[in-house]
Amino acid sequence: MRRKPPEQLAVPMSSMIDIVFLLLIYFIVTAREDIPEAHLAVNLPAPGMAKSGEVKPKMLEMQVHANKLYLQGSEKPVAEIAAMLKYLGSLDPDQTVIVQVSMNARATDLVTALDLCRAAGLEKLNVVTLR
Amino acid sequence: MRKREDDTLETPITSMIDIVFLLIIFFVVTASVDKDVVDESIMLAQAKNAPAVEQSDPRTVTVNLHKNGDINISLQPLSLSQLKQMLISMRAQSGNSVPVLIRCDADTQFRHIDRVMQVAASTGLYRVRLAAEATGM
């Protein structure tokens, strides 16, 4: 008779811990690792923009096709374009790059092109669709 | 003597539960943050040079774009005209400097991206961004 009261007072811990552990494992498993995202600015040509500049500034022309990049009209491998852009960017980082994208180009191609411009320090990018 | 043995055999459960609860709360809180905006099934293109975004504009409209051209916002599928309505109302709410973020699959053809861009431009939103996975740095 004397032993009974303390036993009743004890909280049933082990079952609670089981549940808590299950919850913990569930959240660990469902937690997704954060992929660092970069947001590449794509400046769409606004209607008012073309009129404001009377004197046309120096522009670079880049064309993006599926798996192909053209700089100033000639197709070149990515490494070469990267080097050229770096050189041109160091000459004048303010110049505008017109990125003309073909309909068949994939997102990777466009991202590569924008990324290369970024790496070269060229911030003024304009994405135009080739029709 | 008997009582003492009982004492040492007991594991310090309370402190362990404290820690486990803290861990659970941590995971609950981090899991609920911005999970609803991002479509997990999209594999972004990789950008080696662009820096990862620490904090983007809270007004950003995130448009998820699948390889086959399907559009959804917060996992809710939209047609192009619905997207246009949505962007128009966003613009009415917070002005025309609202950034539009396009999260598109690496293999998406530009024709699909272009359609979203045209819709954004036609509603007067010109701050369009393309999401990529920041692999460098």
Side-chain angles (χ1 to χ4, degrees), chain B residues 25-90:
Chain B
I25 290 167
F26 169 76
F27 281 112
V28 170
V29 169
T30 53
S32 56
V33 169
D34 72 28
K35 198 175 189 175
D36 44 342
V37 183
V38 171
D39 190 334
E40 301 279 337
S41 58
I42 289 174
M43 301 298 288
L44 296 175
Q46 299 190 340
K48 290 189 199 73
N49 305 300
V53 175
E54 305 277 302
Q55 211 165 21
S56 56
D57 195 323
R59 296 171 304 170
T60 308
V61 186
T62 306
V63 181
N64 295 303
L65 181 60
H66 278 272
K67 220 183 305 191
N68 56 7
D70 287 348
I71 302 163
N72 74 59
I73 291 183
S74 307
L75 300 181
Q76 191 194 350
L78 295 173
S79 70
L80 273 178
S81 54
Q82 284 170 317
L83 177 69
K84 185 162 186 172
Q85 287 306 314
M86 177 111 183
L87 291 180
I88 287 173
S89 67
M90 280 306 290

Side-chain angles (χ1 to χ4, degrees), chain A:
Chain A
M1 238 2 217
R2 252 208 110 134
R3 266 187 90 78
K4 214 159 180 181
E7 255 182 299
Q8 274 187 328
L9 270 177
V11 198
M13 279 284 193
S14 42
S15 49
M16 189 173 79
I17 296 179
D18 283 352
I19 293 170
V20 166
F21 267 121
L22 274 181
L23 278 174
L24 181 62
I25 289 166
Y26 167 77
F27 281 113
I28 290 178
V29 170
T30 54
R32 87 195 146 85
E33 75 273 43
D34 252 332
I35 304 164
E37 259 184 33
H39 295 174
L40 298 155
V42 179
N43 299 322
L44 300 181
M49 259 158 68
K51 289 170 204 153
S52 58
E54 300 91 21
V55 187
K56 264 203 171 170
K58 222 178 119 194
M59 284 190 211
L60 288 176
E61 231 182 67
M62 206 168 166
Q63 281 192 16
V64 181
H65 295 269
N67 290 320
K68 276 185 216 142
L69 288 178
Y70 290 72
L71 186 62
Q72 305 290 62
S74 55
E75 192 205 336
K76 288 188 178 66
V78 173
E80 208 169 304
I81 287 192
M84 276 178 79
L85 278 175
K86 261 214 172 98
Y87 172 68
L88 293 166
S90 67
L91 289 181
D92 179 12
D94 280 338
Q95 61 194 324
T96 310
V97 184
I98 307 282
V99 184
Q100 299 175 319
V101 193
S102 117
M103 283 292 195
N104 297 318
R106 292 169 311 142
T108 339
D109 304 316
L110 177 56
V111 166
T112 310
L114 296 175
D115 195 42
L116 289 177
C117 294
R118 259 270 3 180
L122 296 159
E123 304 265 345
K124 288 188 183 158
L125 308 173
N126 259 308
V127 172
V128 182
T129 315
L130 276 178
R131 284 177 207 280

